[in-house]
Amino acid sequence: MKKCFMMAALLIGCMATASAQEIRDMFGSDQKGGISYGVRAGLNVSKIAGQYSPDSGDKLDFNSRVGFQVGAVVDIPITNGFYVQPGLLFTTRGAKEKSSYSEAGYSEEASTKYRPMYLQIPVLASFRADVSESVNVQVHVGPHFAFGLGGKCKDSYSDSDGLSESQKYPFFGESTENEARFGAKRFDFGLSFGAGVTLREHYYVGIVYDLGLVNMAIDKEWGKEAKFHNRNFSIQLGYNF
């Protein structure tokens, strides 16, 4: 009986060692022991979500806007299958809205495009696993910090009588007596969630969703009940050196 227990314990120990080795091979073979770098570029689909006030009918009715991002990342290995990935990205955000009216042969259209630009710094925890010799899958999550660099809003109006006009004004900051502004804060903070695949150690394809947590609306411009938040989905392509 004692020998049976010893043989069973030995068998379990061998199975555990083999399983641990498989896990190390899966999550540790991409561990190169040094810091590496990469470049990223992508397509953004962004929106401004929120409300002017808590009333159910007073929510923002903005449509998504297409933009872009470009920048670089650094991969810092921590342990098998786990990296920290800070980055620096130039990225566009924003939204657009449109309204129209018509009756008895008369019509008019009005639209506004919001085009802010940010310098964004994501700091992501990156979990990675090799599924084959040439394919590595990754899951990313972590905070991002964004600083508004500039950007404009553009109002456009036209009607069937031939009237057409437009105006541009800054997205960030408070309005003054001499200049109208949208009234958004420059600083933004939020969470980023993403996943991607690296092919042949160099070529990267991924997706990221950025959830802005800071209320961008300036109280003096919009009132304390207004809540504006950045939302962005992006498709990224990259090259790792």
Side-chain angles (χ1 to χ4, degrees), residues 218-238:
I218 296 175
D219 290 350
K220 292 182 179 179
E221 195 76 27
W222 294 101
K224 294 184 178 181
E225 293 183 339
K227 308 292 182 183
F228 302 165
H229 299 278
N230 273 319
R231 301 286 187 263
N232 184 67
F233 173 80
S234 61
I235 300 173
Q236 292 182 334
L237 299 177

Side-chain angles (χ1 to χ4, degrees), residues 137-218:
V137 296
Q138 306 165 19
V139 176
H140 316 293
V141 61
H144 68 258
F145 308 87
F147 305 90
L149 300 176
K152 297 285 187 178
C153 303
K154 182 180 180 181
D155 292 337
S156 300
Y157 173 86
S158 63
D159 63 26
S160 56
D161 292 335
L163 177 62
S164 178
E165 57 185 8
S166 64
Q167 63 171 341
K168 293 182 180 181
Y169 48 94
F171 182 82
F172 295 108
E174 298 178 24
S175 298
T176 64
E177 294 182 0
N178 301 321
E179 183 180 45
R181 291 175 177 260
F182 175 71
K185 300 172 185 174
R186 287 188 179 272
F187 175 75
D188 193 19
F189 167 82
L191 296 176
S192 296
F193 309 89
V197 177
T198 297
L199 306 173
R200 298 182 179 180
E201 297 186 2
H202 296 292
Y203 305 100
Y204 177 79
V205 180
I207 57 174
V208 179
Y209 182 75
D210 296 319
L211 178 70
L213 300 178
V214 171
N215 178 18
M216 298 190 299
I218 296 175

Side-chain angles (χ1 to χ4, degrees), residues 30-158:
D30 68 344
Q31 181 68 274
K32 298 177 176 62
I35 296 174
S36 59
Y37 306 88
V39 292
R40 298 288 185 267
L43 176 74
N44 292 340
V45 180
S46 58
K47 188 176 183 179
I48 300 174
Q51 60 187 24
Y52 295 108
S53 71
D55 296 337
S56 59
D58 209 13
K59 297 186 181 297
L60 297 184
D61 188 22
F62 290 173
N63 297 316
S64 298
R65 174 180 177 263
V66 176
F68 70 94
Q69 61 176 256
V70 62
V73 297
V74 180
D75 286 322
I76 305 173
I78 303 300
T79 186
N80 288 349
F82 176 64
Y83 287 65
V84 172
Q85 187 188 75
L88 183 64
L89 302 170
F90 173 84
T91 180
T92 63
R93 291 286 190 268
K96 58 184 180 181
E97 59 178 333
K98 187 175 182 179
S99 62
S100 61
Y101 170 80
S102 64
E103 69 169 10
Y106 172 80
S107 63
E108 60 183 24
E109 290 187 355
S111 65
T112 302
K113 296 180 180 179
Y114 307 94
R115 301 169 175 171
M117 299 174 290
Y118 289 89
L119 188 65
Q120 183 165 311
I121 303 174
V123 183
L124 306 180
S126 181
F127 303 90
R128 307 182 180 187
D130 289 324
V131 296
S132 72
E133 292 185 359
S134 59
V135 179
N136 178 274
V137 296
Q138 306 165 19
V139 176
H140 316 293
V141 61
H144 68 258
F145 308 87
F147 305 90
L149 300 176
K152 297 285 187 178
C153 303
K154 182 180 180 181
D155 292 337
S156 300
Y157 173 86
S158 63

